Amino acid sequence: MSHHIVVIGSTGYLGSRLIPRLVERGHTVTAVVRPGSRAIAAQGCRVVQADPLDKASLTPHLHAGDTVVQLVGVPKPAPWKGPQFRAVDLVAGRASIDAAQAAGVDHFVYVSVAHPAPIMKDYIAVRRECEDRLRLPACVRQSSGPGISWAPAPGIATGVSPHGDDTVYA
Amino acid sequence: MHDAARRLGLVTIQDMLTALIRAIEYPPESIRVIEVPEIRRLGGKG
């Protein structure tokens, strides 16, 4: 079955590798890019410009029936990047979750973090806050009744690659 | 290096991409959390 997928954070480490695979599998993909990043967007997808930190900027690009994949994050996370995590990862997470809810998006995929490395406490705290936001009753699909059709699928892992391009922290 | 990566919960980029595609193509009824062991398992099937 073909899906319409909106990728927020589409030009990063995971997004740039994920989109070609989705297109290859027959899905329709919209890549959300920051102004000025259109040139580095993946081939084969529709490209729209929006500010990933701003709900009002994202909402017009999201629609009922879409699957939203949220991949925005500070590149190469490290313990000393706490202020950046709060300024980018947290703000982008909130903005995209709230925009998806406002737009009536059906399915939200969030890349979070496993917790084997306590030294990354700031990063874990930010990702956990976004997970908690996704678990709010307003965000979770209520049985199969009409009118409410939003189902987040949080979890998976984080997209750090300190060792080259073959491993990521999870 | 490989054993250390597993202890730290590292997964490969291929595992991650396979798990993401699986998450996208099979939406949950409410909430589904895909943990590291499942990411590795899905990647192994990829």
Side-chain angles (χ1 to χ4, degrees):
Chain A
M1 177 183 173
S2 175
H3 297 260
H4 181 238
I5 302 152
V6 181
V7 180
I8 304 172
S10 61
T11 60
Y13 180 72
L14 278 175
S16 63
R17 291 162 173 80
L18 176 65
I19 290 174
R21 291 182 177 218
L22 294 173
V23 171
E24 185 180 289
R25 293 172 72 87
H27 300 300
T28 303
V29 180
T30 296
V32 177
V33 302
R34 290 169 293 178
S37 295
R38 183 178 288 270
I40 59 173
Q43 300 293 307
C45 62
R46 175 173 172 259
V47 180
V48 299
Q49 291 188 357
D51 179 355
L53 307 182
D54 180 17
K55 172 191 170 184
S57 178
L58 290 171
T59 302
H61 303 293
L62 310 182
H63 304 90
D66 288 349
T67 293
V68 171
V69 182
Q70 210 290 100
L71 299 174
V72 175
V74 172
K76 299 182 180 177
W80 58 87
K81 293 187 176 180
Q84 294 178 57
F85 299 149
R86 287 186 285 278
V88 176
D89 298 46
L90 181 58
V91 175
R94 286 173 175 164
S96 58
I97 292 166
D98 292 351
Q101 187 182 4
V105 160
D106 282 346
H107 182 202
F108 192 98
V109 178
Y110 180 65
V111 177
S112 191
V113 60
H115 305 159
I119 195 171
M120 295 291 285
K121 60 181 173 48
D122 290 333
Y123 189 76
I124 291 170
V126 163
R127 295 282 159 171
R128 184 172 284 167
E129 183 169 335
C130 289
E131 284 187 31
D132 290 344
R133 202 175 190 89
L134 283 167
R135 293 177 194 276
L136 291 174
C139 293
V140 180
R141 179 167 21 211
Q142 306 294 310
S143 68
S144 58
I148 303 171
S149 58
W150 200 74
I156 302 193
T158 178
V160 189
S161 180
H163 307 298
D165 65 356
D166 63 344
T167 54
V168 291
Y169 275 124
Chain B
M1 179 63 195
H2 184 73
D3 289 342
R6 290 192 70 84
R7 279 197 305 275
L8 286 170
L10 302 181
V11 298
T12 70
I13 182 66
Q14 300 305 326
D15 290 347
M16 271 302 298
L17 293 171
T18 301
L20 276 169
I21 290 168
R22 176 80 181 185
I24 290 165
E25 294 183 343
Y26 295 91
E29 287 297 318
S30 57
I31 296 177
R32 181 185 185 205
V33 178
I34 303 176
E35 304 282 2
V36 170
E38 188 174 3
I39 294 171
R40 289 180 176 146
R41 184 178 61 77
L42 290 169
K45 283 184 177 178

